[in-house]
Amino acid sequence: MADCLFCKIITGNVPSEKVFETEKVLAFRDIRPQAPVHILIIPKEHIASAQQINASNSQAVADIAEVIPKIAEQEGISKQGYRIVTNIGFHGQQTVEHLHYHLLGGRQLGWPPG
Ligand code: 5GP
Ligand code: ZN
């Protein structure tokens, strides 16, 4: 997707602070961190949001699920815990239309969200 910000991060056309990468998945630090650890985990395949997941592309979600514990371990937050969030659409306040999971941690998080 030529005009997708996260596709540009995948190709390197937009710089990012990468923390983890596999053939299928990229993880990089959020530019406006909301917690001491705030990482975005994205599939390299362009999928607009979790609402677009179906039987033909759901492996992307499994690929992301597989790297989450490794990133948490690498960031030193696996024991104290953390949160995974994916915002979807207008009410979900999704601002970038490329599927991404926020990994938030490094402090006590509040619940419920706003
Ligand atoms: P959303 O609001 O769609 O759930 O999450 C998008 C996230 O992308 C936001 O937390 C925002 O701070 C982050 N973001 C927006 N532009 C950039 C960028 O150019 N680089 C990085 N690393 N993060 C970005
Ligand atoms: Zn994209």
Side-chain angles (χ1 to χ4, degrees), residues 59-80:
Q59 183 59 42
V61 178
D63 293 335
I64 289 171
E66 196 181 315
V67 303
I68 287 168
K70 296 177 184 171
I71 296 169
E73 192 76 36
Q74 182 177 292
E75 294 292 315
I77 59 171
S78 62
K79 289 192 173 60
Q80 285 192 298

Side-chain angles (χ1 to χ4, degrees), residues 7 10 24 42-48 56-57 59-60 98-99:
C7 282
I10 291 163
K24 301 285 187 187
I42 68 173
K44 290 187 177 176
E45 172 188 2
H46 180 88
I47 300 170
S56 72
N57 63 12
Q59 183 59 42
H98 181 126
L99 178 65

Side-chain angles (χ1 to χ4, degrees), residues 8 17 20 28 34 40 53 68 80 84-85 90 93 112 114:
K8 288 179 186 163
E17 191 183 335
F20 203 90
F28 54 96
Q34 303 301 316
L40 301 172
I53 295 295
I68 287 168
Q80 285 192 298
I84 297 293
V85 180
F90 180 69
Q93 297 211 331

